[in-house]
Amino acid sequence: MAKSTVGSTPKLNLLDDIGMILFRGDLKSKTLQNAIVEATGVKVPVRGKISTEDKTSIAWMSPDELLLILPLERVGELIEDLNHKMGKEDTLIWDISDLRSVFEIEGNFIREVLAKNTPIDLNRDKMRKGTFRRTRFGQIAVAFWFESETKWFMICRRSEAEYAQQLFEVSSKPGEIPSVF
Amino acid sequence: MLKLVCPYCGIEADETELVSGGEAHLKREGPDSTDDDFEGYLFLRENPKGVILERWRHAMGCGKWFHVARCTVTQEVFGTYPAQTFKPPPRIMEEIKSRRTGQENGLNSDKAEKFS
Ligand SMILES: [Zn+2]
């Protein structure tokens, strides 16, 4: 018997104190792995995953790209530290905090709302804790991950954040969420 | 709905997360080429009823280009492979061969020779 979703609308909040660093390089390199762990305290995630320690997360974006997500005030210092630790190795370390937006989604039935707008398999055994899934949300490129069933995160281009917000709101109207997962 | 496994991400991506890039393994003709070769490079494409090797981009994902072997008639996918290659890897050719014995449905004879 499906649970009633009435009165359980999940909410989307833009996090404005979040910093993001794009990190491109040879992810298999020992120098890179050591530099990241020493500078952030977080291990380099394996393919398709995100690893988190305290307030810092590192997401696997592609075979040569990571995304570091951390409190905004620590970005400048960390970039300097990483550049120093990488030495002469070929890397691109770039502050993209203004380029993308991170949303926090809180509440029940988050999988249901996302499933209306994305083609990925959101079943609990496929979309698990630690999974970092790049896909689309409506017509825009996004990535999803979650901390718990009732606390998810979505990242998108800042220029498309308004679209993401409106699409989420329209898809999570009270009484219009089916109970599926 | 076409679903392809991105060889970089290892995930099954839906057609709407991908962008098609047309025929794979084209030889790029430069300023020294003949007009005919250049025309072929720019405009002439295979349009087989059967097996095709194509380029696809994981646009709503890692953003990388990769290659796909699929059948335009049945939509079956023989496999995907990274773009850093001039020809399909042996496992892909074997997969095609094992499922397509007649030349009519496999890669056309020029291509089969080129990639064998
Ligand atoms: Zn990919």
Side-chain angles (χ1 to χ4, degrees):
Chain A
M1 177 70 189
K3 282 174 285 179
S4 168
T5 64
V6 178
S8 307
T9 310
K11 292 273 177 285
L12 188 82
N13 295 308
L14 181 69
L15 300 176
D16 48 16
D17 53 353
I18 283 273
M20 281 162 279
I21 301 171
L22 176 146
F23 194 115
R24 264 185 200 268
D26 174 9
L27 302 192
K28 291 190 189 105
S29 134
K30 272 271 159 294
T31 313
L32 182 148
Q33 300 206 346
N34 291 337
I36 297 252
V37 174
E38 281 167 25
T40 65
V42 186
K43 268 198 193 159
V44 174
V46 295
R47 184 165 87 164
K49 300 285 178 186
I50 183 165
S51 40
T52 304
E53 289 294 338
D54 196 25
K55 284 182 176 155
T56 306
S57 294
I58 303 182
W60 187 95
M61 296 289 277
S62 85
D64 61 357
E65 185 182 337
L66 298 172
L67 181 69
L68 282 59
I69 305 158
L70 66 163
L72 188 59
E73 74 267 12
R74 298 227 299 263
V75 169
E77 185 192 337
L78 184 60
I79 289 180
E80 215 166 284
D81 192 17
L82 284 168
N83 269 319
H84 175 72
K85 288 192 162 69
M86 288 307 293
K88 286 192 172 144
E89 195 163 305
D90 203 8
T91 38
L92 171 68
I93 303 170
W94 184 27
D95 179 1
I96 57 159
S97 308
D98 293 340
L99 198 80
R100 297 194 185 137
S101 293
V102 181
F103 289 103
E104 187 182 67
I105 309 168
E106 280 185 300
N108 296 311
F109 305 105
I110 297 173
R111 287 179 193 268
E112 276 81 352
V113 175
L114 300 184
K116 287 185 179 185
N117 300 296
T118 172
I120 66 173
D121 188 345
L122 281 163
N123 274 305
R124 286 166 197 257
D125 58 337
K126 290 280 163 47
M127 183 70 198
R128 294 191 218 178
K129 191 158 184 217
T131 302
F132 183 82
R133 183 61 154 90
R134 299 182 76 176
T135 179
R136 70 178 174 85
F137 183 64
Q139 298 182 35
I140 63 170
V142 297
F144 298 123
W145 75 99
F146 64 89
E147 200 175 285
S148 71
E149 275 307 315
T150 52
K151 189 171 181 179
W152 286 55
F153 296 95
M154 174 165 75
I155 183 167
C156 68
R157 288 188 192 99
R158 196 165 284 262
S159 58
E160 293 167 344
E162 200 182 334
Y163 171 91
Q165 184 132 25
Q166 288 175 358
L167 182 59
F168 189 92
E169 277 162 13
V170 95
S171 312
S172 59
K173 277 189 191 161
E176 294 185 15
I177 309 173
S179 173
V180 181
F181 299 102
Chain B
M1 182 65 75
L2 185 63
K3 285 181 165 186
L4 302 171
V5 175
C6 170
Y8 307 110
C9 298
I11 55 169
E12 193 177 55
D14 167 294
E15 196 176 332
T16 63
E17 299 177 87
L18 305 164
V19 168
S20 168
E23 190 183 338
H25 307 298
L26 294 176
K27 181 174 174 263
R28 187 176 185 150
E29 300 291 345
D32 299 332
S33 61
T34 65
D35 285 354
D36 278 356
D37 286 346
F38 193 71
E39 185 206 11
Y41 159 60
L42 274 188
F43 302 114
L44 304 181
R45 295 292 180 268
E46 292 271 320
N47 186 19
K49 184 180 173 186
V51 180
I52 188 168
L53 302 173
E54 285 177 316
R55 300 165 73 227
W56 284 81
R57 193 170 85 88
H58 194 189
M60 299 274 180
C62 66
K64 310 275 185 214
W65 285 98
F66 62 94
H67 287 153
V68 179
R70 71 177 179 99
C71 179
T72 58
V73 179
T74 63
Q75 285 285 43
E76 65 191 298
V77 176
F78 302 99
T80 57
Y81 52 102
Q84 292 74 25
T85 176
F86 292 108
K87 60 180 190 180
R91 67 178 168 88
I92 297 287
M93 293 305 284
E94 272 154 34
E95 190 59 33
I96 297 172
K97 254 181 241 160
S98 75
R99 292 203 244 164
R100 291 287 184 280
T101 42
Q103 208 183 58
E104 220 179 294
N105 292 321
L107 282 175
N108 75 37
S109 54
D110 293 1
K111 281 278 155 66
E113 225 164 82
K114 189 172 142 197
F115 295 137
S116 63

